[in-house]
Amino acid sequence: MQKRGFICIFVLSLALMLGACSSSSGNSASSKEAIGGAASDMESTSHSSSISGADTNSPAKEDTATAAKDPKQAASGFTDSENKAGADKKLIYKAELSMRVKDYTKVQTEIRNQVGQAGGYIVQFSENQNDQQLGGSFIVKIPAAGFTSFIDGVGKIKHESLDQNIEGQDVTEEYIDLESRLKAKLIMEERYTSFMKKATKTDELVKFANELGRIQEEIEQAKGRMRYIDNNVAYSTVTIHLFQREGTAGNVDSGKEDTPLMEQAGNALSGTLHVLSLFLQGLVVVLAGAFPILVVGPVLGWVIWRVRKGRAKRRAVTRDALRKDISGKAMVDADSNSVEDNNKDSDS
C-alpha cells in the first residue's frame, strides 16, 4: 500500500512539473510573438511614413502643382512630365483640332509660321471656298518634343470655337517584338548564307537560296515597320481643320455696291460676251453633230426629186402618146365613116 501511494505521489508530481514547463514555454512563445508583431508594426509604420514623405516630394505632386499653376498646359491633355515619363517607351501621338475663326487667311498664315517655328513640316493641305464658307485642312508633322507646346500655341490663336482630340498609342511591345524577330532572322540569314557556301548539290543550293530570299524579305519588312514606328514616334501627326463662319466669307462680295460705273459696265459686257461665246460654242457643237445630216440630206432629197421628176415626165409623155393614138384612131374612124357616107350617097 505504501508502495502504491508512493507511485501515485510520484506520478502527480511529474504531471505538475510537466504542466509548469509547458505553461512557461507557451508564455515565452506568446511573448516572442508579441515582440515580433510590435516590430512588424514599427516597420510598417516607418515604411508608411517613408512613403508619405516620398509622396510629398514625388514628381506626380509636382506635376499636379505645375498643372494647377499653368492651366493652359494642362488643357492640352499632356504635360511635360508625362512626355518625359514616356521617353523610354515608343509612343505615337496624334491630335485633331477643329477651329472656327473670323479671319481664315490670317489664321492660316499664323499656323504655317508656328509649324516652321516648331521644326515641323506640312504633309498635306486642302482648301475649299464658296459663297457661304471658307475653310481648309492641314496635316502636319511636329517633333514629339514640341508636340505639347505646338498644340498650346495653336490654341492661343484667336478663334471663336475650338475642338481638340488628342490620342496616344503605345507601340513599345510591337517594337520590342520586331527587334527580337529581326535578330532571329539575321541569325538565320547568316546560317543559310553559310549553308549556301557549303552546299555541293544543285537542289540543296536552290532550296537554301529560296529560303534565304524569304528570310531577307521578312527582314526588310521588319526594318520598314521599325522605320515607320521610329518616324511616327519622332514626329507626331497633327490635323487642323479651319473654317470661317457663315456670312463672313460673303463679306468679300459686299464691296460690289461701291464698284465704279465703268467697271460695272465692263463686268456686264464681259458677262454678255461670255454668254454669247457659250452660245456660239454650243451652236458649233450642234452643227458639228448635225453635219452628216445637213450634207447627206439635201443630196438625197435632190436625187429623190430628180427620180420623181423623171418618172412624172415619162408618165406625161406616155399620156400624150396615148392621147395622140386615141385622137388618130378617132380621125381615121371619122374619115372612114365619111368615105362610106359618100359612097352611099353616090350609090343612091
Side-chain angles (χ1 to χ4, degrees):
M1 293 294 291
Q2 291 180 354
K3 191 175 182 179
R4 290 180 179 177
F6 178 76
I7 292 172
C8 291
I9 292 169
F10 178 77
V11 170
L12 290 174
S13 61
L14 182 62
L16 291 172
M17 291 174 64
L18 292 174
C21 292
S22 62
S23 63
S24 62
S25 63
N27 291 330
S28 62
S30 61
S31 63
K32 289 181 179 179
E33 291 177 358
I35 293 171
S40 62
D41 291 338
M42 290 175 66
E43 291 178 357
S44 62
T45 304
S46 62
H47 182 65
S48 62
S49 63
S50 64
I51 293 175
S52 62
D55 289 339
T56 56
N57 298 321
S58 62
K61 291 200 172 183
E62 291 179 358
D63 298 339
T64 306
T66 304
K69 292 179 181 178
D70 192 0
K72 292 181 180 179
Q73 183 178 2
S76 64
F78 292 93
T79 60
D80 292 336
S81 61
E82 289 175 339
N83 293 333
K84 292 178 181 178
D88 297 334
K89 294 184 178 182
K90 296 290 183 180
L91 300 175
I92 298 176
Y93 288 109
K94 295 180 180 180
E96 186 171 0
L97 310 177
S98 180
M99 298 180 65
R100 183 178 177 180
V101 298
K102 289 184 177 180
D103 192 344
Y104 164 75
T105 305
K106 182 179 179 181
V107 174
Q108 181 190 144
T109 304
E110 291 182 6
I111 288 177
R112 291 180 183 273
N113 293 334
Q114 289 197 11
V115 171
Q117 293 174 1
Y121 57 93
I122 298 175
V123 178
Q124 182 180 351
F125 173 72
S126 60
E127 190 176 51
N128 55 343
Q129 299 184 15
N130 51 49
D131 295 337
Q132 289 78 26
Q133 189 173 346
L134 183 65
S137 297
F138 290 88
I139 298 178
V140 299
K141 287 286 188 177
I142 302 296
F147 174 74
T148 304
S149 59
F150 177 77
I151 297 297
D152 293 339
V154 174
K156 293 177 183 178
I157 297 175
K158 189 176 181 181
H159 57 270
E160 294 182 343
S161 64
L162 174 62
D163 296 330
Q164 296 186 17
N165 182 19
I166 302 175
E167 179 183 356
Q169 181 182 2
D170 188 356
V171 292
T172 308
E173 184 177 355
E174 181 185 359
Y175 196 86
I176 294 173
D177 182 60
L178 287 171
E179 284 183 335
S180 60
R181 283 194 292 172
L182 181 60
K183 291 178 181 178
K185 295 297 180 183
L186 290 173
I187 294 172
M188 293 178 65
E189 182 184 19
E190 293 179 358
R191 289 183 179 178
Y192 274 96
T193 303
S194 62
F195 290 161
M196 288 184 63
K197 292 179 180 179
K198 297 177 182 179
T200 57
K201 297 181 179 179
T202 305
D203 56 348
E204 291 181 355
L205 185 62
V206 172
K207 182 179 179 181
F208 292 152
N210 292 334
E211 192 67 21
L212 181 62
R214 183 184 64 82
I215 293 171
Q216 289 176 346
E217 183 179 357
E218 293 178 355
I219 289 173
E220 292 301 322
Q221 290 177 356
K223 288 182 177 180
R225 179 61 181 173
M226 291 174 69
R227 285 193 298 267
Y228 173 80
I229 292 175
D230 288 334
N231 184 36
N232 282 275
V233 169
Y235 284 85
S236 303
T237 304
V238 181
T239 303
I240 304 173
H241 303 286
L242 299 176
F243 62 96
Q244 194 169 327
R245 63 178 181 176
E246 296 180 359
T248 307
N251 291 336
V252 178
D253 298 330
S254 60
K256 287 185 177 180
E257 297 178 357
D258 300 332
T259 305
L261 179 62
M262 295 302 296
E263 187 175 352
Q264 293 182 10
N267 294 333
L269 179 61
S270 63
T272 303
L273 293 176
H274 179 67
V275 173
L276 183 60
S277 64
L278 292 177
F279 174 74
L280 292 177
Q281 291 176 7
L283 182 61
V284 170
V285 172
V286 172
L287 292 176
F291 180 76
I293 299 174
L294 295 176
V295 173
V296 177
V299 174
L300 185 61
W302 181 79
V303 172
I304 294 173
W305 176 75
R306 292 290 296 177
V307 171
R308 289 184 176 180
K309 186 176 180 180
R311 290 180 179 177
K313 189 175 181 180
R314 288 194 295 271
R315 289 176 182 174
V317 171
T318 304
R319 284 197 298 269
D320 292 339
L322 289 174
R323 287 175 183 174
K324 289 179 180 180
D325 291 340
I326 293 171
S327 61
K329 289 180 180 180
M331 291 177 65
V332 170
D333 293 336
D335 292 338
S336 62
N337 291 330
S338 61
V339 170
E340 289 178 358
D341 292 337
N342 292 330
N343 292 330
K344 287 180 181 181
D345 291 336
S346 61
D347 291 336
S348 60

